Amino acid sequence: MTSWTWEYDDYEPSGERLRESLCTLGNGYLATRGALPECAADAVHYPGTYAAGCYDRLTSDVAGRRVENEDMVNLPNWLPLRFRPVGREEWLTPDTAEVLDHRHVLHLSCGLLERRTRYELGNGRVLAVRQQRLVHMADPHLAALRTEFTAEGFTGELDVEAALDGGVTNSGVPRYRDLEGRHLTRVHVGSTAQDTMWLRCRTRTSDIRIAMAARLTGGRPVTEAHRGGCAVQRTRLYLFPGRTVTIDKTVAVHTSRDPAISDPLRAAVGRVRAAPGFDDLLESHLTAWKQLWRCAQLDVPGEAGRILRLHLFHVLQTLSPHTADLDVGVPARGLHGEAYRGHVFWDELFVLPYLDLHFPEVSRALLTYRHRRLDRARAAARAIGRRGALYPWQSGSDGREETQELHLNPRSGRWLPDHSRLQHHVGSAIAYNVWRYCEASGDTEFLHTKGAETLLEIARFWADSATWDDNLGRRRIRGVVGPDEYHDAYPDAKQPGLDDNAYTNVTAAWVLTRTLGLLRTLPEPRRRELMERTGLDSGELDQWEDVSRTLHVPFHDGVISQFEGYGDLAELDWDGYRKRYGDIRRLDRILEAEGDTVNRYRASKQADVLMLGFLFSPAELHSLLGRLGHRLDDGQWQRTVEYYLRRTSHGSTLSGLVHGWVLARARRAEAWTYCQEALLGDVADLQGGTTGEGIHLGAMAGTLDLVQRGLTGLEIRAGALWLDPVPLPELSSYSFSLRFQGHWGVRLRLEHGCLEIEVPPSDCSPISIRLPDRTVSVAPGEACRVPLTLKRTR
């Protein structure tokens, strides 16, 4: 294993789902899990293929209720390629034959999945199988599989069958299996030439047309054997000892969502016919990956660097430059599986800050996805009697609320009401991403148009959500759920929702403040146009100003309260529960199975209040709370950090990331423990089987951003790069490159208490670098080395 490979030896059925997720190949348009091509979907394997933004909606009968869910559709399976010696009834798979050796190697540098297996056939006969698979990064509609067969110690014939399987369902997540999952209908198969087969189908409700075409080359002439919902081709190979015979399967995929096509089937057949051979496909694929790695250069030593490279690989496979041409959001579990049904949550809050500084065109497209759904968000706000825009907690195809109404507790087997749609803070996350993108890219056109309109409507929602409380003399936002997610109601309350979640209120105040500032600086014609279009007037702006200064932020015991009344809840016997259950990350499920509820306790699933330290620098957070009438000194923030550290179960992969980020500045000695949890979340499957259902994209991208912005203290303000490094002893030497307002490949390196900045030649202006104790200017074609004065933290 090297820093550029991810390898698995031996065949372990219990670990296949995890391997399949982590060995997924994709290109931002299409992704396929790393399942073995000879294995069908069963309790061990799950060969899923997904196209970004391809959703379908079905209704199921669950727990006596009709429940509607929209899913990212599992497309027809293009992988199937199975084989067996002539005369053997069973096809060879690791589950039906003796495996002598088995190895999977994911080559990160070139997006290639390599597999080697040696099957024992008896009487000293061995069949060696080597496969190379790619999902093409240059042409997002192509994928290819090369299979090499070598006979060891025998001469014989081998039957090979390749297929396109349209009989798949969405069944990759066990707890969803009570839900309807058959999304494909009207499956038709056929062929257009001796070596080419095709499959077409539609989704049942969204009526998306899907087409695949496959070309099989190598071996003897191909014969057709279509059956049911499968397009099938067969060939027979002659094997001789020590000689290798090669079969190549090249596949094209199109859907009716694609631009510049008239018919998906015609497009798929034409593309696969025109596709070059495997060697040429591989060459152009390697070139595309080489260019991607150049734009996202990251050099971190040791095991942490190896994992970070894997994380970056999966971010690039989910959100590549091809994504910029699509109408899609950030799927929380990538294009790697069916967990969360492929929905878009607030995870872009952890993903876009990384993309902003490497692939800003992708960030712009992802924010445009939100703007296109602004009318739907306005309608959602009107439906609850509010002005402005209420974005859904879970999004899919058209921007309506996709959050499930029920969720299954696997411990108790009970279906329970799901109130997570009350996480209205998703709107603040969208506004935050708009602002940070425009700062990083300098894209004033987007900020003044789509960005300004989005910010205005989110600010309007918050202002209209705040109600005056005479007793407090403050404004309050009631009936919400914060990032914690464990707490969705007060103990014994008949209605869900909590009052004055600190994170919600502070970020709402930030949105209002930023939007007011933006409106003041907009070009006057654009400002007038925007106010006319939205009906905004000076009286409403005065209201925003007042709300941005008077929102209530609760405190108790000298710390910021997660929400009003949090300090009145009971303390949990943390040691007792750890002793009884060991892993208590999903404390909510444990308590519910006991007939209890986490709503009664001071216990958090993940960072909530501490998210404020993730989004805002210490100076900005102090300023925000000061505007709201609170003085937050370093000691009070330290006490707040310590308070919630003791009361968080880390039931989300995002929790370790945020805690590591915050502790790097508050309590450096403990930061690495949480950074490691963020790094290992998927590769070690710390959440107990969840990675097999899809990787955690926000956590993966967040670890990259931890290196890029968290430990460097990187901010972009007033057209300058502001840096305040706090390198950890375990991660004190590393480098990365970024794009910044027209500069490509700006390289930053931290090493031995020094910061090196190198700016490639261009016709851009010099970059201003602001450090706590000095300012330096670096012109294109120049480099500088600056000694750092590092702050001490505990």
Side-chain angles (χ1 to χ4, degrees):
M1 189 174 293
T2 72
S3 62
W4 284 95
T5 61
W6 202 259
E7 303 177 24
Y8 293 100
D9 289 319
D10 301 324
Y11 177 70
E12 298 178 8
S14 63
E16 277 298 291
R17 291 294 180 95
L18 173 63
R19 295 184 187 189
E20 290 172 358
S21 286
L22 293 179
C23 290
T24 294
L25 295 181
N27 56 27
Y29 170 83
L30 182 77
T32 296
R33 289 168 56 84
L36 298 173
E38 66 265 36
C39 296
D42 56 21
V44 175
H45 308 281
Y46 195 70
T49 290
Y50 311 96
C54 187
Y55 292 97
D56 188 53
R57 189 180 306 278
L58 296 175
T59 302
S60 309
D61 292 310
V62 179
R65 297 172 62 176
R66 297 278 287 172
V67 176
E68 184 180 278
N69 286 292
E70 186 176 67
D71 295 271
M72 183 172 68
V73 177
N74 184 16
L75 301 187
N77 182 13
W78 67 268
L79 279 178
L81 191 142
R82 56 186 184 172
F83 41 86
R84 64 187 174 191
V86 171
R88 180 186 173 106
E89 291 188 8
E90 284 187 309
W91 298 96
L92 293 177
T93 76
D95 304 304
T96 63
E98 182 179 353
V99 174
L100 298 178
D101 303 293
H102 182 73
R103 194 178 192 214
H104 251 128
V105 182
L106 178 63
H107 297 275
L108 304 179
S109 62
C110 54
L112 189 72
L113 181 60
E114 181 182 12
R115 160 282 176 97
R116 295 176 184 264
T117 306
R118 294 174 68 241
Y119 285 108
E120 170 63 55
L121 303 181
N123 300 319
R125 299 176 305 150
V126 173
L127 178 67
V129 182
R130 177 180 181 239
Q131 288 180 321
Q132 293 175 289
R133 182 192 312 178
L134 60 87
V135 174
H136 210 266
M137 187 55 81
D139 186 332
H141 299 281
L142 290 178
L145 175 69
R146 165 165 285 182
T147 307
E148 299 171 348
F149 299 103
T150 306
E152 298 179 11
F154 75 98
T155 298
E157 294 179 302
L158 191 73
D159 281 335
V160 177
E161 180 183 278
L164 300 173
D165 182 6
V168 303
T169 63
N170 275 56
S171 54
V173 180
R175 62 189 173 279
Y176 299 165
R177 287 178 185 164
D178 287 347
L179 304 174
E180 178 61 53
R182 189 168 294 279
H183 290 281
L184 303 181
T185 187
R186 298 171 65 180
V187 179
H188 299 278
V189 299
S191 58
T192 60
Q194 188 177 48
D195 63 350
T196 304
M197 58 182 167
W198 56 262
L199 179 151
R200 68 180 179 193
C201 59
R202 295 173 182 258
T203 54
R204 287 172 59 182
T205 303
S206 56
D207 200 32
I208 298 171
R209 291 172 291 148
I210 301 160
M212 290 183 176
R215 185 183 72 207
L216 195 66
T217 55
R220 300 173 71 180
V222 172
T223 60
E224 299 176 20
H226 306 320
R227 60 173 186 270
C230 289
V232 179
Q233 291 182 324
R234 293 175 180 158
T235 188
R236 181 167 288 182
L237 308 179
Y238 286 116
L239 302 181
F240 298 93
R243 295 186 185 178
T244 298
V245 180
T246 302
I247 291 284
D248 290 338
K249 183 180 184 182
T250 307
V251 178
V253 181
H254 274 281
T255 80
S256 55
R257 299 183 77 248
D258 298 340
I261 66 168
S262 61
D263 173 66
L265 180 58
R266 182 183 295 272
V269 170
R271 190 172 293 271
V272 83
R273 281 179 175 173
F278 187 90
D279 290 331
D280 289 336
L281 279 175
L282 180 59
E283 184 177 353
S284 56
H285 177 69
L286 296 179
T287 299
W289 267 108
K290 182 180 179 180
Q291 293 169 347
L292 276 182
W293 285 116
R294 189 184 301 140
C295 291
Q297 191 172 14
L298 176 69
D299 183 13
V300 176
E303 181 66 6
R306 195 173 74 90
I307 297 173
L308 285 165
R309 192 167 283 120
L310 177 73
H311 288 183
L312 178 51
F313 177 78
H314 285 301
V315 170
L316 295 176
Q317 291 195 121
T318 307
L319 303 169
S320 80
H322 297 300
T323 308
D325 297 325
L326 306 176
D327 177 34
V328 297
V330 177
R333 302 299 282 273
L335 299 174
H336 296 61
E338 294 161 16
Y340 301 158
R341 300 182 176 87
H343 290 169
V344 176
F345 292 70
W346 72 327
D347 296 64
E348 63 206 60
L349 186 63
F350 303 88
V351 176
L352 263 65
Y354 178 80
L355 295 176
D356 290 345
L357 293 169
H358 296 275
F359 303 98
E361 69 278 11
V362 178
S363 290
R364 179 176 173 131
L366 297 170
L367 293 170
T368 300
Y369 164 88
R370 292 296 195 178
H371 180 263
R372 289 191 182 109
R373 287 147 183 83
L374 184 57
D375 279 344
R376 176 74 74 167
R378 290 185 181 111
R382 287 195 300 272
I384 62 170
R386 307 269 178 84
R387 304 182 71 192
L390 170 58
Y391 277 94
W393 178 239
Q394 295 187 34
S395 298
S397 59
D398 61 9
R400 76 182 79 175
E401 179 62 79
E402 302 295 352
T403 301
Q404 62 270 26
E405 297 177 9
L406 300 173
H407 68 269
L408 176 67
N409 181 355
R411 280 186 173 270
S412 67
R414 287 189 284 266
W415 287 89
L416 307 167
D418 191 316
H419 301 302
S420 56
R421 65 185 62 221
L422 296 177
Q423 292 188 75
H424 297 166
H425 60 81
V426 65
S428 295
I430 294 166
Y432 182 91
N433 277 327
V434 167
W435 187 264
R436 295 304 189 209
Y437 158 73
C438 293
E439 282 185 320
S441 65
D443 189 349
T444 55
E445 188 275 334
F446 185 87
L447 180 63
H448 291 170
T449 55
K450 295 180 176 71
E453 188 176 10
T454 303
L455 284 167
L456 184 154
E457 295 293 7
I458 294 169
R460 173 176 270 166
F461 174 79
W462 285 131
D464 203 43
S465 298
T467 58
W468 180 258
D469 186 311
D470 285 329
N471 293 325
L472 283 177
R474 312 282 295 176
R475 293 183 183 272
R476 310 183 68 183
I477 296 177
R478 298 178 179 270
V480 299
V481 171
D484 164 29
E485 293 189 321
Y486 275 176
H487 293 88
D488 62 1
Y490 288 102
D492 303 318
K494 294 182 179 180
Q495 297 295 324
L498 303 160
D499 299 335
D500 300 310
N501 173 256
Y503 173 82
T504 300
N505 285 13
V506 172
T507 55
W510 180 88
V511 173
L512 288 160
T513 302
R514 285 296 185 195
T515 307
L516 286 165
L518 173 60
L519 290 171
R520 284 193 291 268
T521 58
L522 277 179
E524 195 279 332
R526 171 57 183 155
R527 184 176 187 269
R528 183 173 65 249
E529 176 186 87
L530 186 61
M531 294 183 72
E532 288 173 351
R533 283 185 58 195
T534 60
L536 186 67
D537 58 31
S538 59
E540 192 172 354
L541 293 177
D542 291 341
Q543 179 203 13
W544 292 10
E545 180 74 30
D546 181 58
V547 173
S548 73
R549 295 181 180 277
T550 60
L551 276 170
H552 177 47
V553 179
F555 285 74
H556 73 276
D557 299 337
V559 303
I560 301 173
S561 295
Q562 187 169 299
F563 51 82
E564 184 63 46
Y566 186 87
D568 299 329
L569 301 178
E571 288 285 12
L572 185 77
D573 180 9
W574 290 92
D575 291 338
Y577 272 90
R578 288 192 177 98
K579 185 175 180 180
R580 290 167 58 191
Y581 292 98
D583 185 350
I584 59 169
R585 285 184 174 87
R586 291 311 305 264
L587 184 63
D588 57 332
R589 293 176 176 175
I590 291 172
L591 289 171
E592 193 278 330
E594 291 183 346
D596 203 349
T597 172
V598 76
N599 282 330
R600 296 181 53 233
Y601 301 100
R602 302 184 206 179
S604 299
K605 176 183 178 181
Q606 63 196 81
D608 191 304
V609 171
L610 300 192
M611 275 293 301
L612 296 172
F614 173 77
L615 293 187
F616 307 116
S617 67
E620 191 170 11
L621 182 56
H622 293 170
S623 175
L624 271 171
L625 286 167
R627 182 182 176 89
L628 289 167
H630 300 284
R631 182 177 180 274
L632 182 72
D633 58 33
D634 290 342
Q636 195 168 29
W637 179 246
Q638 288 272 5
R639 289 192 298 274
T640 299
V641 170
E642 292 169 4
Y643 183 89
Y644 289 103
L645 272 177
R646 297 195 299 269
R647 294 168 174 83
T648 303
S649 72
H650 305 292
S652 164
T653 55
L654 297 172
S655 191
L657 167 69
V658 174
H659 282 80
W661 184 296
V662 171
L663 288 173
R665 294 188 178 274
R667 286 167 54 171
R668 192 183 305 171
E670 297 179 39
W672 187 243
T673 299
Y674 292 97
C675 292
Q676 279 188 304
E677 177 153 330
L679 287 170
L680 296 174
D682 275 328
V683 300
D685 201 10
L686 295 182
Q687 296 288 326
T690 61
T691 303
E693 302 167 352
I695 56 97
H696 298 80
L697 192 68
M700 284 190 169
T703 60
L704 303 171
D705 198 37
L706 172 67
V707 173
Q708 174 178 270
R709 292 192 309 129
L711 301 185
T712 62
L714 173 61
E715 295 181 85
I716 298 172
R717 286 185 274 146
L721 292 178
W722 297 65
L723 293 155
D724 186 9
V726 286
L728 302 178
E730 300 86 352
L731 201 61
S732 59
S733 176
Y734 59 89
S735 66
F736 59 91
S737 64
L738 52 83
R739 278 170 64 181
F740 170 62
Q741 297 188 0
H743 293 273
W744 289 60
V746 178
R747 187 169 178 81
L748 281 76
R749 181 172 185 82
L750 277 83
E751 187 171 19
H752 307 307
C754 286
L755 172 67
E756 297 178 2
I757 307 108
E758 182 180 346
V759 181
S762 73
D763 61 353
C764 296
S765 302
I767 295 178
S768 179
I769 309 291
R770 307 289 180 89
L771 295 160
D773 58 347
R774 75 191 75 187
T775 298
V776 297
S777 179
V778 187
E782 295 183 354
C784 74
R785 182 179 175 90
V786 184
L788 299 175
T789 303
L790 302 179
K791 298 178 181 178
R792 291 184 176 271
T793 63
R794 288 188 289 162

